[in-house]
């Protein structure tokens, strides 16, 4: 649902001046490893709302923010997260502003937390974030080990900042 709330075409056109491609994986389209049969998830606010509603998120108190009892406590909590951005990055701020406009249409509360680069990287290393944005450029050779292999999932300061772990991904890598 969250991917459907990111208008990547608008970001590509307005922030990156159309210089790039919307892709569906970690490899560049010119790489022999890029799967052209896998299409990028499209921007679709209505479908995002449908997915969120199907997962039990609704605005029960009329405050304009979705909420849910997602831990079984009986207390409904708002769909809220913090988006860490690099304070000195004009690109990060522009992207955050575009995402913010569409996030509001889906009734999700997002706080933007700008940090200087040294603090930002420390937050990444310590996994002190809800959502972050990073750019990673790879070569044509296509070696996703450093970012996506499970061996870095629990290791502090690895490039696998999100702690992704998958036996199937490890096998494919």
């Amino acid at each position: 649902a969250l991917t459907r709330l990111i208008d990547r075409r608008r970001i590509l056109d307005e922030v990156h001046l159309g210089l790039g491609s919307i892709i569906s994986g970690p490899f560049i389209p010119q790489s022999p490893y890029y799967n052209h049969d896998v299409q990028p998830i499209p921007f679709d606010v209505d479908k995002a709302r449908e997915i969120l509603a199907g997962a039990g998120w609704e605005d029960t108190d009329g405050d304009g923010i979705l909420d849910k009892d997602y831990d079984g406590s009986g207390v409904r909590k708002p769909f809220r997260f913090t988006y860490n951005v690099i304070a000195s990055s004009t690109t990060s701020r522009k992207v955050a502003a575009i995402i913010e406009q569409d996030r509001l249409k889906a009734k999700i509360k997002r706080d933007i937390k700008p940090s200087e680069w040294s603090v930002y990287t420390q937050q990444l290393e310590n996994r002190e974030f809800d959502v972050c944005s990073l750019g990673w450029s790879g070569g044509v050779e296509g070696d996703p080990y450093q970012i996506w292999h499970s061996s870095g999932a629990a290791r502090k300061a690895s490039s696998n900042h999100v702690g992704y772990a998958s036996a199937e991904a490890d096998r494919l890598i």
Side-chain angles (χ1 to χ4, degrees):
L2 295 179
T3 298
R4 291 181 184 279
L5 292 173
I6 299 174
D7 190 347
R8 291 172 286 170
R9 170 56 52 199
R10 182 174 171 206
I11 292 167
L12 178 61
D13 292 344
E14 293 181 18
V15 178
H16 301 290
L17 307 174
L19 300 173
S21 302
I22 297 171
I23 61 174
S24 62
F27 304 112
I28 61 172
Q30 297 79 8
S31 165
Y33 306 105
Y34 186 83
N35 187 343
H36 293 275
D37 295 330
V38 178
Q39 296 302 304
I41 296 171
F43 171 67
D44 188 336
V45 174
D46 292 333
K47 182 66 176 174
R49 286 184 192 145
E50 179 185 319
I51 293 168
L52 291 165
W57 290 97
E58 55 186 316
D59 182 10
T60 60
D61 56 9
D63 68 352
I65 304 297
L66 298 176
D67 53 75
K68 178 179 176 177
D69 174 13
Y70 55 85
D71 61 5
S73 66
V75 177
R76 295 187 71 86
K77 297 175 184 161
F79 195 137
R80 179 183 201 140
F81 62 89
T82 301
Y83 179 28
N84 292 30
V85 298
I86 303 162
S88 61
S89 171
T90 305
T91 300
S92 288
R93 290 193 315 270
K94 287 179 180 178
V95 169
I98 290 171
I99 293 172
E100 181 72 4
Q101 293 170 4
D102 295 312
R103 188 252 348 126
L104 287 170
K105 296 174 189 172
K107 297 185 174 186
I108 296 171
K109 175 70 176 153
R110 185 190 68 173
D111 301 312
I112 299 172
K113 180 181 178 183
S115 301
E116 293 305 319
W117 178 249
S118 62
V119 174
Y120 190 83
T121 56
Q122 187 175 38
Q123 291 165 343
L124 291 174
E125 290 175 3
N126 295 324
R127 295 199 174 121
E128 297 169 345
F129 61 89
D130 294 328
V131 175
C132 66
S133 179
L134 294 166
W136 193 277
S137 61
V140 182
E141 73 281 350
D143 183 3
Y145 185 92
Q146 183 176 353
I147 305 172
W148 299 112
H149 195 273
S150 297
S151 63
R155 193 172 68 241
K156 186 177 177 179
S158 80
S159 295
N160 186 346
H161 299 295
V162 296
Y164 181 78
S166 164
E168 179 65 7
D170 293 349
R171 186 187 69 73
L172 292 169
I173 291 170

